[in-house]
Amino acid sequence: MTNLPPPAEELRILDAELRQLDLRRAVLLRRRAWLVHTLRAAAAPQPAQGTGAAPGGPPAGPAAGAAARRPETTAPGVQNVLLVLGGVLLTIAAIAFTLVSWGHLGIAGRSLVLGALTVGALGAPVTLLRRGLRATAEAVSGLATALTVLDAYALHEVAFTGADGVGYAAAASAVLAALWAAYGVRLGLFHPLPLAVATAHLPLLLWAIAVGAGPLPLTAVLLATAAGGSAVALRAVSAPVRVVAVVGALGTGAVGVLSAGWLCWSASDPGSAARAAALLVVAAAVALVTGRFVPNREVAVAAAAAAGLCLVAGSAGVLRVSVPGEWTVPGCQLFAMLLLAAERTSLPLPLRQGLVRAAAAVQGFAVLWAVPLVAGSVLGPAVQAVTPWSGAPRTVRDAVFAGVPPPAHASTVPLVLAVVAAALVVAGRRTPRRPAVMVVALVLGWAAVLVLPVALQLPYTAGLVTQAAVVVAALGLAVRSDRADGGPSPLALTALLLAILTSVDLALLSLASESATIGVLVTLTVLFGAAGRRPRHAPFTVPAALAHATALACALGASAGLRPPHTALLVLVVPAVAALIASRSSGSRATVPVEVAGAAAGLLALALAVPDPPMLALVLSLNGVVAAATALRPERRAVGWAAAVLLPAAAWVRLAAWEVGTPEAYTLPVTGPALVVGYLRRRRDTAVSSWTAYGPGLAATLVPSLLAAWDDQHWLRPLLLGVAALAVTLVGARLRLQAPLVLGAGVLALVAMHELAPYLTQVVGALPRWVPPALAGLLLLVLGATYEHRLRDARRLREALGRLR
């Protein structure tokens, strides 16, 4: 009992306890009302016997159903609705009375009446609370607060008619806020305190507007109001008061911070920027103090992060008018780095975490600021492919941004990216996500070096050398970062991809000069080819080497003055080399990527040779040879189908170039190899049918020749086709093979019909018209008479054919 609190503190504690008791009493009263209602419903008289309900059974009839129906609302709920509605109606009536009614009384008379009503409404809750009618007291007090607003209006119209409206509103809002707060605390009512807190946000702002304050004082007033709201939110015990204070503080604080930031960034001199930055510092201090005492950890972190962003924004605004424009973002980075010093202070952990997050956010904004220059440096060299070998420009920037203005203030982009990369490297040592952090740091460091020649406007040759050094460094890092668990690490994989991307960018950038193009492509081919000797990197480096070799072949052909079809012969060296490499690395992870790169080079060669049919035929045949050589490997037998398509296509293109129109010249080169392949396949596997082995090859020649012979007016083609069909039929009969027998016999019969058709036409024309129908009828009679015998013969023929292989 010796450590008693001060009287004011003890009074605050007692008031808080009394409010809690009032809240608990209201809850118990609502529960009591519900229990009374339940007991009364259970004690209601049951319907008598004989009214349609069985003894012990459920009540019957509409009355019973109504008695059994539960009420849709509770008595306290009905009470609250009635009280709120009554208070609203009385308030509306008071407003109407003050503004439009009882005009013969005048404003003074109405003011006296309103004053009397206000005094009565303010005093009525005292009596109501003594009798335990808290809800009614709350409703009447709500009417009283509304009447006080009307009283303030009436007082202005009667006694302060000459006063400025905004200034009077500021004073009235301050007086009303104090009155409502004292009234709510004195009587322990719920709604006056939140209303007082909400109204307390208005006096300072209205006063500043009344005195004609400028943007800077208005912003300071908004921040001061936000600080006051934060203090109330931290000290308030009642939840509604806290909610109103938090909403008001966030609203005024956000508007104040945005206004201060706009003033800081739009300032034209360092003094104006410094004054606006001071407001941002005040906002940061308010946020930090709030985060220090707020119990919620996430809110504290967010408050500290907002404070850190305010500090950096203020410093950036001062830097913008104090230093050249390109140094504004690096200066922001420096101030953000200073926020990291909070890690070594005695601040609470949530505040330190929030400041660190603010520093990370600033670094992220700095990286976004650098994105346009990085994207231009990566994508810009592709423009050189439109006009290759047009002449080496003076600087790298002229080659990258040809005809396009570069981003403003780009000279410090490499520094910004390097600072973020270094910060990530340092931070990565203390985080469990070190691999991901190091990958991001590697990408940012690569971007910093890549844009360095563009940012510094280095000479064109120096830019090429720098990018080549980036490729070498990325490959070297991939080798050093490789791990011994069967595959490249994430860092090594990222380094490989960056090396490939930089090599493509370098190759495109070198297209401005002929000598630079050839030199760069030779260097890249050798470099990636040497890197491909490491098995873990081969799936990436060997295809890259083949791609650069393909581009080198095209460049050498253009440099030698060769036409594109002749350049295709140089490009064909790449598929041949790819097939050789794939055969030596068969079964490894690099096999498929190498074969894909070789196939892409082969397709490019075909595209280059299309304008020249003789050269296209040669390119098709060489591609077919490469495909056939690949098909010799057991696991690549399916590539033989590609060879089977490419080689005949080469022969057909050559024949078309010679303007050969005989179909046999196109089909016989296909039939011969197909029959040989079928014969070899049947020797290895006797279960293969003759249709599979010989059918495609025979049909490739017999069918087109039959179609050509059908329209041929000379005798030589049908004769030769008939002899060939007879030979095929005899071979099929001799070897008992179904496919040659059926195809040869069918073609022979059709050729014979074709040759006899003119004579049959003459004979039919010489006969009387009744002879064909008579012959048809006789034929039908003969067929009908010997139907069973013919079926037996057909069955025997089918069985004989089935016994053939």
Side-chain angles (χ1 to χ4, degrees):
M1 298 296 293
T2 57
N3 296 326
L4 293 177
E9 180 65 19
E10 185 177 2
L11 178 61
R12 189 187 66 81
I13 295 174
L14 291 177
D15 290 339
E17 292 293 336
L18 289 174
R19 284 193 293 271
Q20 294 297 327
L21 290 175
D22 291 337
L23 288 173
R24 181 59 179 167
R25 186 173 183 277
V27 171
L28 293 177
L29 287 174
R30 286 194 294 269
R31 180 64 178 175
R32 180 182 180 281
W34 181 84
L35 291 173
V36 170
H37 174 77
T38 304
L39 293 174
R40 288 177 179 174
Q46 301 294 330
Q49 297 285 342
T51 60
R69 191 180 302 118
R70 297 184 62 183
E72 296 181 356
T73 184
T74 61
V78 175
Q79 164 195 296
N80 293 333
V81 171
L82 294 177
L83 291 175
V84 171
L85 182 59
V88 171
L89 292 177
L90 288 175
T91 303
I92 294 174
I95 295 174
F97 163 74
T98 305
L99 298 179
V100 298
S101 299
W102 285 19
H104 62 280
L105 292 179
I107 189 64
R110 281 179 283 174
S111 300
L112 293 176
V113 174
L114 276 177
L117 291 175
T118 304
V119 172
L122 289 174
V126 178
T127 304
L128 294 173
L129 288 174
R130 289 176 181 174
R131 297 188 178 185
L133 302 177
R134 172 166 290 278
T136 307
E138 290 285 350
V140 175
S141 66
L143 172 63
T145 54
L147 290 175
T148 54
V149 177
L150 295 176
D151 288 333
Y153 167 74
L155 187 62
H156 175 268
E157 296 296 323
V158 173
F160 301 99
T161 55
D164 177 63
V166 179
Y168 180 80
S173 59
V175 172
L176 289 176
L179 174 64
W180 292 339
Y183 184 67
V185 172
R186 179 68 182 85
L187 298 183
L189 298 174
F190 293 150
H191 87 278
L193 284 178
L195 189 60
V197 172
T199 308
H201 287 79
L202 300 176
L204 282 178
L205 181 61
L206 294 175
W207 172 78
I209 296 174
V211 299
L216 199 65
L218 281 175
T219 303
V221 166
L222 287 171
L223 294 177
T225 305
S230 302
V232 172
L234 292 174
R235 300 283 295 177
V237 178
S238 174
V241 174
R242 284 199 304 271
V243 171
V244 173
V246 167
V247 172
L250 288 178
T252 55
V255 175
V257 168
L258 292 177
S259 176
W262 178 79
L263 291 173
C264 188
W265 279 84
S266 61
S268 58
D269 58 275
S272 301
R275 286 189 291 271
L279 294 179
L280 289 174
V281 173
V282 171
V286 172
L288 283 176
V289 172
T290 303
R292 171 65 178 83
F293 293 102
V294 72
N296 189 293
R297 179 180 178 279
E298 295 299 328
V299 174
V301 172
L309 292 177
C310 289
L311 292 174
V312 175
S315 62
V318 175
L319 285 174
R320 191 188 66 84
V321 294
S322 303
V323 298
E326 59 269 16
W327 291 102
T328 302
V329 175
C332 293
Q333 281 188 299
L334 177 61
F335 280 102
M337 292 295 180
L338 296 177
L339 293 179
L340 297 177
E343 282 286 342
R344 302 182 180 275
T345 63
S346 59
L347 289 174
L349 180 60
L351 297 185
R352 285 181 283 158
Q353 291 179 342
L355 292 175
V356 170
R357 291 184 183 182
V362 172
Q363 304 302 329
F365 291 145
V367 172
L368 291 178
W369 173 76
V371 164
L373 183 63
V374 176
S377 301
V378 174
L379 303 177
V383 181
Q384 298 297 330
V386 180
T387 56
W389 297 355
S390 57
R394 186 177 61 86
T395 64
V396 181
R397 181 178 291 186
D398 296 335
V400 171
F401 296 95
V404 178
H409 308 309
S411 59
T412 55
V413 169
L415 176 62
V416 170
L417 295 174
V419 168
V420 180
L424 288 175
V425 170
V426 175
R429 299 175 181 176
R430 298 178 295 173
T431 177
R433 300 178 181 178
R434 187 174 185 275
V437 173
M438 296 306 293
V439 167
V440 177
L442 174 61
V443 174
L444 293 177
W446 164 81
V449 180
L450 184 70
V451 302
L452 183 62
V454 179
L456 300 181
Q457 301 188 40
L458 296 181
Y460 176 71
T461 305
L464 296 179
V465 173
T466 303
Q467 290 202 357
V470 172
V471 176
V472 175
L475 290 176
L477 180 61
V479 172
R480 293 189 58 184
S481 303
D482 199 7
R483 61 188 183 187
D485 59 352
S489 65
L491 190 62
L493 181 60
T494 304
L496 283 175
L497 296 178
L498 293 178
I500 295 173
L501 177 61
T502 309
S503 67
V504 174
D505 195 62
L506 176 59
L508 292 173
L509 190 63
S510 67
L511 290 177
S513 171
E514 178 179 352
S515 58
T517 301
I518 296 175
V520 165
L521 291 176
V522 169
T523 302
L524 292 177
T525 302
V526 173
L527 188 61
F528 280 96
R533 300 184 63 180
R534 296 184 64 86
R536 297 194 183 103
H537 300 158
F540 302 93
T541 55
V542 176
L546 293 175
H548 291 305
T550 304
L552 177 61
C554 296
L556 290 176
S559 179
L562 300 178
R563 296 175 53 243
H566 294 85
T567 304
L569 296 177
L570 295 177
V571 176
L572 282 176
V573 176
V574 177
V577 174
L580 179 61
I581 295 174
S583 65
R584 298 187 62 181
S585 63
S586 180
S588 67
R589 294 184 303 166
T591 303
V592 174
V594 168
E595 290 175 342
V596 171
L603 291 176
L604 177 61
L606 290 177
L608 293 174
V610 165
D612 191 346
M615 190 60 63
L616 177 61
L618 179 58
V619 172
L620 284 169
S621 62
L622 293 177
N623 271 321
V625 171
V626 174
T630 303
L632 294 177
R633 292 156 48 197
E635 71 277 8
R636 291 292 184 265
R637 296 299 188 199
V639 185
W641 292 102
V645 172
L646 291 171
L647 292 174
W652 294 347
V653 171
R654 170 53 68 180
L655 292 173
W658 287 338
E659 299 182 353
V660 175
T662 304
E664 289 78 11
Y666 295 89
T667 58
L668 287 176
V670 177
T671 297
L675 294 177
V676 172
V677 171
Y679 174 72
L680 296 176
R681 185 175 181 185
R682 279 182 59 84
R683 285 189 61 181
R684 291 196 307 268
D685 187 3
T686 57
V688 177
S689 66
S690 61
W691 286 104
T692 303
Y694 305 119
L698 293 174
T701 293
L702 293 177
V703 174
S705 298
L706 178 62
L707 296 176
W710 202 262
D711 293 332
D712 198 343
Q713 303 299 324
H714 300 283
W715 58 272
L716 182 58
R717 184 188 300 275
L719 176 61
L720 294 177
L721 181 60
V723 172
L726 178 60
V728 170
T729 304
L730 294 176
V731 171
R734 173 70 179 81
L735 300 178
R736 303 182 65 185
L737 298 174
Q738 190 179 91
L741 179 61
V742 173
L743 289 175
V747 172
L748 183 60
L750 292 175
V751 170
M753 289 180 60
H754 174 266
E755 293 303 313
L756 293 175
Y759 302 103
L760 292 176
T761 303
Q762 294 177 4
V763 171
V764 171
L767 292 176
R769 294 184 178 181
W770 58 268
V771 174
L775 292 177
L778 180 62
L779 179 62
L780 291 176
L781 289 176
V782 173
L783 290 176
T786 59
Y787 184 73
E788 183 178 0
H789 183 36
R790 298 302 180 187
L791 286 177
R792 183 183 62 189
D793 292 343
R795 194 179 301 113
R796 290 177 179 176
L797 178 60
R798 186 182 62 187
E799 293 175 354
L801 288 175
R803 287 192 296 270
L804 298 178
R805 291 173 291 173

